[in-house]
Amino acid sequence: MSTFQSMAVVPSVEEMYAVKVCLTEEIPNALVDDIPYFVQFFEPENLDTAIRIAWCESRGFSEAYRSDNKDSGLFQFIPNTWKWMSQLYDIPEWDTWVITRYGLPHKEKNKTYKTNLGFGFSKVQHIPYYNIKAAAHLAEDTYKGTRWTDWNSSKWCWEDAKEWRERWTKEEN
């Protein structure tokens, strides 16, 4: 997992917007808003592969779901793999409903706000923050060394960076 994780620093709105502007031509639009989480949880040398996998697995749609085996979220986790990650790392269990504020877990108890602006309520596996965190742990921390084999079924899509770029730019245009 990225050393940025241990810093527990959340980027400012201005920083996130600056990153978004810089990246709109480098990555699929569907993943631009989630880049801070990729940077927070993945080691720098793994960012490119992680982004390619997330797009190939879900086209960047955090609510992606496949009913035959319950693949869910950006990285299309299945319940058993998610359970494994939640037991090893600080990740809520599958299907847990989580409150977020501006995409991050909302942990402030007994605090009231004048509006509900920025709040969300979703199953944990569909929240990009947690889905990306679980993927980073699975790829970088669970095995000895970085492994992407849990996403081999979509390897045809993400393995070659040049072909991947052509694929997503064609789909977006």
Side-chain angles (χ1 to χ4, degrees):
M1 177 172 291
S2 173
T3 53
F4 293 110
Q5 167 68 22
S6 62
M7 295 177 2
V9 175
V10 177
S12 70
V13 172
E14 293 81 16
E15 290 170 325
M16 291 176 73
Y17 181 75
V19 169
K20 183 175 182 175
V21 169
C22 292
L23 294 175
T24 52
E25 292 185 20
E26 299 300 321
I27 65 163
N29 287 328
L31 291 170
V32 169
D33 289 339
D34 302 322
I35 288 302
Y37 310 131
F38 282 94
V39 171
Q40 182 178 4
F41 295 120
F42 279 98
E43 293 294 338
E45 66 271 15
N46 294 327
L47 285 171
D48 186 54
T49 303
I51 291 166
R52 291 195 320 261
I53 290 172
W55 185 84
C56 290
E57 289 286 332
S58 64
R59 294 305 191 260
F61 181 53
S62 64
E63 295 293 323
Y65 177 78
R66 202 169 88 195
S67 61
D68 62 336
N69 63 357
K70 298 185 180 178
D71 287 1
S72 297
L74 293 174
F75 282 89
Q76 291 291 279
F77 276 91
I78 59 173
N80 284 340
T81 306
W82 190 275
K83 181 179 179 181
W84 184 30
M85 294 298 96
S86 72
Q87 290 169 346
L88 294 175
Y89 306 103
D90 184 28
I91 298 170
E93 293 180 12
W94 183 267
D95 275 350
T96 299
W97 285 91
V98 175
I99 297 172
T100 58
R101 185 152 195 241
Y102 299 109
L104 296 171
H106 181 68
K107 297 182 179 183
E108 295 177 16
K109 303 289 184 205
N110 302 320
K111 184 171 182 177
T112 58
Y113 296 85
K114 293 181 181 181
T115 72
N116 61 357
L117 183 66
F119 282 96
F121 188 58
S122 185
K123 289 184 178 180
V124 68
Q125 64 268 23
H126 294 288
I127 298 172
Y129 174 90
Y130 283 116
N131 201 277
I132 294 167
K133 180 179 182 176
H137 280 304
L138 182 60
E140 296 177 344
D141 301 331
T142 306
Y143 308 110
K144 293 180 181 177
T146 301
R147 279 186 39 186
W148 303 105
T149 55
D150 293 282
W151 296 280
N152 273 348
S153 64
S154 64
K155 193 172 185 177
W156 63 270
C157 176
W158 56 263
E159 185 174 38
D160 184 296
K162 183 180 177 191
E163 288 179 16
W164 170 81
R165 183 178 178 79
E166 291 171 2
R167 190 173 292 114
W168 75 257
T169 54
K170 183 178 177 183
E171 282 191 28
E172 283 194 356
N173 297 323

